[in-house]
Amino acid sequence: MLLLVLAKDLGSALILFVIYVVMSYAALKKWYILPVAGGVVMLAMLVAGKLMTHVSNRIIAWLDPVSTIDNQGYQVSQSLFAIGTGGWVGSGLFQGRSSTIPVVTKDFIFSAIVEEMGALVGISLILICLSVVFLFFRIARELRDEFYVYVSVGFGTAYAFQVFLTIGGCIKLIPSTGVTLPLVSYGGSSILATFMEFSIVESLYMTTKKRDSR
């Protein structure tokens, strides 16, 4: 996590931290882990905002993107405009102006989808992601080996939090973190990593079922 922070990849560092916190809570069952972790995240955000210019810019854009639309808030403002323009059914494929959003194929792909396909498709995409998260944790409940359970919980947490960071940044729920939407955003390494997550959890599930059938 420290290496990622030094590389200014705070989104990935935050995902790893959340995975660590959730898996620690799952293993130790100590209630104080969650509020302490929340306090650490808030403190880290304040420190990063003071020391790193790009973090402070993202916080400014999150707080009031329209008033800073000519500078820090341009990306978030264009994202909100795109989502609002799409309405319920969207403007049609390739009929939107999502190209006005910087890095739209990665960080703000959800905004482009909603603009061209509508809010109904956007909501459906969120529900699909939620069903995948529930599937991860359902598999974790059915696994017998404790190590397998933690692996499934960790991957499920990573997927869920990555979706939350991406969509939350697009709709101004949280500051933008520059994290991709799994299996949707452009990027070979992100897609490969997500396929590996799914493959490992599926293999753990199949191994457990084979053991139970013997």
Side-chain angles (χ1 to χ4, degrees):
M1 284 187 288
L2 290 176
L3 290 175
L4 290 171
V5 171
L6 293 175
K8 298 184 179 180
D9 189 1
L10 300 185
S12 299
L14 182 59
I15 292 174
L16 289 178
F17 179 75
V18 170
I19 294 171
Y20 172 76
V21 170
V22 172
M23 292 182 69
S24 297
Y25 178 77
L28 302 176
K29 304 296 190 300
K30 302 295 184 180
W31 65 268
Y32 57 81
I33 292 177
L34 300 181
V36 170
V40 171
V41 171
M42 294 298 296
L43 179 61
M45 188 171 69
L46 291 174
V47 173
K50 295 291 184 181
L51 299 180
M52 299 182 180
T53 305
H54 74 286
V55 175
S56 61
N57 289 338
R58 290 180 177 181
I59 293 175
I60 293 171
W62 169 58
L63 293 174
D64 193 0
V66 178
S67 65
T68 57
I69 191 172
D70 293 329
N71 196 0
Q72 297 98 329
Y74 178 79
Q75 191 176 35
V76 178
S77 297
Q78 293 298 326
S79 172
L80 296 177
F81 293 157
I83 293 173
T85 302
W88 286 105
V89 296
S91 58
L93 285 175
F94 309 112
Q95 301 301 313
R97 300 186 59 192
S98 57
S99 58
T100 59
I101 308 174
V103 205
V104 65
T105 58
K106 297 180 181 179
D107 303 359
F108 287 84
I109 189 65
F110 182 77
S111 304
I113 291 173
V114 174
E115 181 184 13
E116 296 189 358
M117 301 183 185
L120 292 176
V121 173
I123 293 172
S124 300
L125 178 59
I126 293 174
L127 292 176
I128 291 173
C129 293
L130 285 175
S131 67
V132 172
V133 174
F134 290 146
L135 183 60
F136 269 110
F137 287 101
R138 179 185 173 185
I139 289 176
R141 290 184 59 184
E142 296 183 8
L143 296 176
R144 300 290 183 267
D145 191 291
E146 190 174 20
F147 176 76
Y148 290 174
V149 172
Y150 295 149
V151 170
S152 186
V153 169
F155 281 139
T157 302
Y159 179 87
F161 196 62
Q162 190 172 344
V163 170
F164 171 74
L165 289 179
T166 307
I167 298 180
C170 290
I171 64 176
K172 205 181 86 67
L173 180 64
I174 57 173
S176 174
T177 55
V179 175
T180 56
L181 187 59
L183 299 180
V184 179
S185 296
Y186 174 83
S189 59
S190 174
I191 294 175
L192 179 60
T194 306
F195 271 126
M196 291 173 65
E197 291 179 5
F198 280 65
S199 301
I200 292 172
V201 173
E202 177 66 15
S203 66
L204 297 180
Y205 180 73
M206 292 175 64
T207 300
T208 301
K209 286 299 180 182
K210 287 181 179 179
R211 289 178 181 176
D212 293 343
S213 62
R214 292 175 181 174

